[in-house]
């Protein structure tokens, strides 16, 4: 799928989690619901950091373009080192390492550990990164016609505001983990990455999300829906069907989460 659809699916997923935990009796404070939705929308772009032309690879200028090159080479190296006998060698790493559950869990755990270990400044950096990505994904038309500096300023302002609100007693810094402030930050990051891989599994190429678990004798087996149900990224079904569904389901879930938490 393309960036906007990935971001919308990430936002929908966290709002759905918000409704589910509220129904289970452990509602999110509204700042956690809001921050998590934006983080998840941003994180749903992150697996495409293995591709230099992707939204995330352009989002932070030369820094993200350089990092995309590094991740691409790392992904290709891991693929070639672990591929099965029937899997051809690759020179590029797109839709390999960063499109697996291993990567999703590792990235989420790393960000959570950073937030717990380094406190507010790490939280601000994590929020800034994902706010910028959320703007790039959810407001992509405006982001593409604006300067990068304006997008970064919006991301920085949003990060500072959200952190200030979350830091207030009862507003969610300790949600789910009372003894560790902001340990929960990794959850929407993991979810965003997982939702991204599920979205890509709907497309023609599929997605090797279960690596390194072998499927049909292949470690990088591209899982997906039945062939007749798949579509090309950016096709009409993505823009005319899936994105409206993501918006409606997300909105309904968000309202449900807030009503049940009240």
């Amino acid at each position: 799928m393309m960036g906007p659809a990935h971001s919308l699916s990430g936002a929908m997923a966290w709002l759905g989690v918000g409704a589910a935990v509220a129904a289970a009796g452990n509602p999110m404070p509204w700042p956690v619901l809001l921050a998590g939705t934006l983080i998840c929308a941003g994180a749903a772009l992150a697996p495409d950091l293995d591709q230099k032309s992707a939204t995330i690879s352009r989002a932070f200028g030369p820094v993200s373009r350089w990092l995309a090159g590094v991740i691409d080479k790392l992904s290709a190296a891991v693929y070639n080192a672990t591929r099965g006998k029937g899997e051809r060698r690759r020179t590029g790493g797109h839709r390999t390492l960063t499109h697996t559950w291993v990567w999703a869990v590792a990235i989420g755990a790393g960000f959570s550990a950073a937030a717990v270990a380094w406190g507010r400044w790490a939280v601000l950096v994590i929020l800034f990164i994902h706010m910028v990505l959320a703007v790039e994904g959810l407001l992509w038309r405006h982001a593409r016609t604006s300067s990068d500096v304006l997008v970064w300023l919006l991301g920085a302002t949003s990060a500072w505001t959200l952190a200030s609100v979350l830091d207030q007693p009862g507003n969610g810094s300790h949600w789910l983990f009372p003894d560790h402030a902001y340990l929960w930050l990794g959850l929407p990051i993991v979810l965003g990455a997982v939702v991204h891989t599920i979205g890509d599994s709907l497309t023609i190429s599929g997605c090797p999300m279960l690596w390194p678990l072998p499927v049909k004798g292949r470690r990088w087996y591209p899982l997906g829906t039945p062939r007749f149900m798949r579509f090309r990224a950016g096709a009409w079904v993505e823009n005319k069907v899936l994105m409206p569904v993501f918006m409606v389901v997300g909105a309904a879930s968000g309202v449900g989460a807030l009503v049940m938490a009240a």
Side-chain angles (χ1 to χ4, degrees), residues 3-130:
H6 278 310
S7 280
L8 271 177
S9 67
M12 178 198 69
W14 188 257
L15 289 167
V17 170
V21 297
N26 187 25
M28 298 176 185
W30 71 264
V32 174
L33 185 67
L34 174 59
T37 298
L38 294 174
I39 292 169
C40 200
L45 295 178
D48 277 343
L49 192 56
D50 60 3
Q51 185 181 28
K52 290 184 179 180
S53 62
T55 300
I56 183 174
S57 304
R58 303 190 304 268
F60 299 96
V63 174
S64 54
R65 285 194 292 272
W66 171 82
L67 185 58
V70 172
I71 296 299
D72 178 37
K73 289 182 173 58
L74 172 64
S75 298
V78 171
Y79 170 89
N80 289 323
T82 61
R83 66 190 174 95
K85 292 182 178 179
E87 295 172 312
R88 62 181 178 82
R89 188 175 183 82
R90 295 182 56 162
T91 57
H94 183 48
R95 285 205 187 182
T96 55
L97 179 61
T98 62
H99 288 67
T100 66
W101 69 270
V102 174
W103 179 271
V105 172
I107 290 298
F111 277 122
S112 280
V116 172
W118 294 309
R120 181 175 175 81
W121 288 108
V123 170
L124 286 171
V125 170
I126 294 167
L127 288 174
F128 169 71
I129 291 170
H130 291 91

Side-chain angles (χ1 to χ4, degrees), residues 185-252:
L185 275 182
L187 297 178
I189 294 171
V190 173
L191 181 60
V194 170
V195 168
H196 179 110
T197 61
I198 293 173
D200 278 352
S201 73
L202 302 176
T203 63
I204 290 174
S205 299
C207 192
M209 64 181 78
L210 294 184
W211 176 88
L213 303 176
V215 178
K216 296 184 179 180
R218 297 168 61 184
R219 293 199 179 277
W220 294 95
Y221 185 84
L223 289 173
T225 52
R227 289 285 177 181
F228 74 92
M229 295 176 62
R230 300 190 193 186
F231 55 87
R232 292 187 181 278
W236 68 268
V237 68
E238 178 179 328
N239 298 317
K240 303 297 185 182
V241 178
L242 292 181
M243 289 179 68
V245 168
F246 295 157
M247 286 188 282
V248 171
V249 173

